[in-house]
Amino acid sequence: MSDSKLAGQFFDAAIGLLTRVRDEEAESIGAAGAAIADTVEAGGRLFAFGAGHSSLPAQDVVYRAGGLALMNLLAVPGTVGVDVMPATLGSALERVDGLASAVLDSSPATAGDLLVIVSLSGRNALPVEMAQNARALGLKVIGLTSVAYAENTRSRHASGGFLRDHCDIVLDSKIAIGDAELTAPGVDAPFAPASTVVTSAIMQAMLAAAVERLVARGVEPPMLRSGNVDGGHEWNGRIMTEYRDRIFYRH
């Protein structure tokens, strides 16, 4: 099979975005890592939220080999993935006012905890209100979004604000509006989205920065091992027992 020119172009585009993020967002990623380390050291709990495909990077840091055991998924029923039928319902729920408040009120999140909110556009009611309400409850909020949307589109929230307007720390994924990196003759719509690749990388870089901070402070980060290596299950069992009051996906 011959090499694909478009496949190569996608890799080039993704690598270019990753390089931009590494160079331009280093300070913000470091600040996010420090905030996570502060929360861990202080005994707080960590949560990640995303709706639609923005839920994928949030899920990627929860209960996984090589991951920080304390990261929990803050799930909003019907918005976590494309398993809801019809799939368009998930998009509709992102625009519902008041849903974020109901989810937070019934969650274990409380003052002193930290919430990472992933939303590519940051313009819908759900991520905006999630950030607003989380801060009102006393949580530190890290927003991972594309600032281009806030600068070139209109908010769908009644306040007129975007996710970035209600966060303690903002990480810019640099993704262009429309989230499609390629065009080609014979294809009427742009294609090949890179937001998941880039946003997942930012999430892992942020946690790596947190681990680095914790080690520098003499705090052992509670990490998970792969269950497919010898001793992995025993290691993870010990971690989950030791931190059972801060891990909610095990109940």
Side-chain angles (χ1 to χ4, degrees):
M1 182 175 67
S2 61
D3 294 338
S4 168
K5 177 181 177 181
L6 289 176
Q9 288 178 356
F10 176 76
F11 278 114
D12 289 343
I15 291 168
L17 285 164
L18 289 168
T19 300
R20 280 192 63 197
V21 168
R22 180 197 64 193
D23 296 343
E24 298 174 18
E25 295 298 303
E27 183 176 348
S28 296
I29 290 172
I36 292 170
D38 291 344
T39 304
V40 171
E41 189 175 15
R45 288 83 61 84
L46 306 173
F47 298 89
F49 164 77
H53 284 89
S54 289
S55 73
L56 298 177
Q59 294 179 61
D60 191 47
V61 296
V62 177
Y63 184 53
R64 67 157 302 144
L68 193 60
L70 304 184
M71 188 63 76
N72 300 277
L73 184 67
L74 185 63
V76 177
T79 70
V80 176
V82 295
D83 56 329
V84 62
M85 295 296 176
T88 51
L89 176 60
S91 298
L93 289 172
E94 290 187 60
R95 304 179 190 182
V96 174
D97 295 332
L99 185 55
S101 177
V103 169
L104 280 169
D105 288 347
S106 61
S107 79
T110 189
D113 294 344
L114 181 144
L115 173 61
V116 182
I117 301 176
V118 184
S119 176
L120 178 62
S121 72
R123 68 191 297 226
N124 290 312
L126 185 53
V128 173
E129 291 185 358
M130 190 70 76
Q132 286 179 320
N133 290 316
R135 293 179 84 186
L137 288 173
L139 279 75
K140 173 95 50 182
V141 176
I142 298 172
L144 208 173
T145 188
S146 170
V147 171
Y149 280 86
E151 294 177 344
N152 297 285
T153 67
R154 287 187 294 181
S155 170
R156 288 176 174 151
H157 186 248
S159 69
F162 286 77
L163 170 61
R164 73 165 188 177
D165 301 320
H166 302 284
C167 298
D168 298 288
I169 300 169
V170 177
L171 305 176
D172 183 7
S173 65
K174 314 296 181 182
I175 299 295
I177 294 173
D179 190 19
E181 296 300 318
L182 302 182
T183 58
V187 184
D188 291 338
F191 57 98
S195 61
T196 304
V197 174
V198 175
T199 306
S200 292
I202 294 173
M203 295 286 278
Q204 296 297 343
M206 177 179 65
L207 292 181
V211 168
E212 183 178 28
R213 294 281 185 138
L214 288 168
V215 171
R217 299 174 189 179
V219 178
E220 182 181 358
M223 311 304 295
L224 294 173
R225 291 180 179 267
S226 171
N228 295 314
V229 300
D230 292 344
H233 285 298
E234 292 77 12
W235 172 281
N236 293 341
R238 178 183 65 81
I239 291 291
M240 290 186 186
T241 297
E242 184 176 349
Y243 294 93
R244 59 184 175 272
D245 60 330
R246 300 160 73 183
I247 296 174
F248 302 102
Y249 52 78
R250 63 186 296 275
H251 300 302

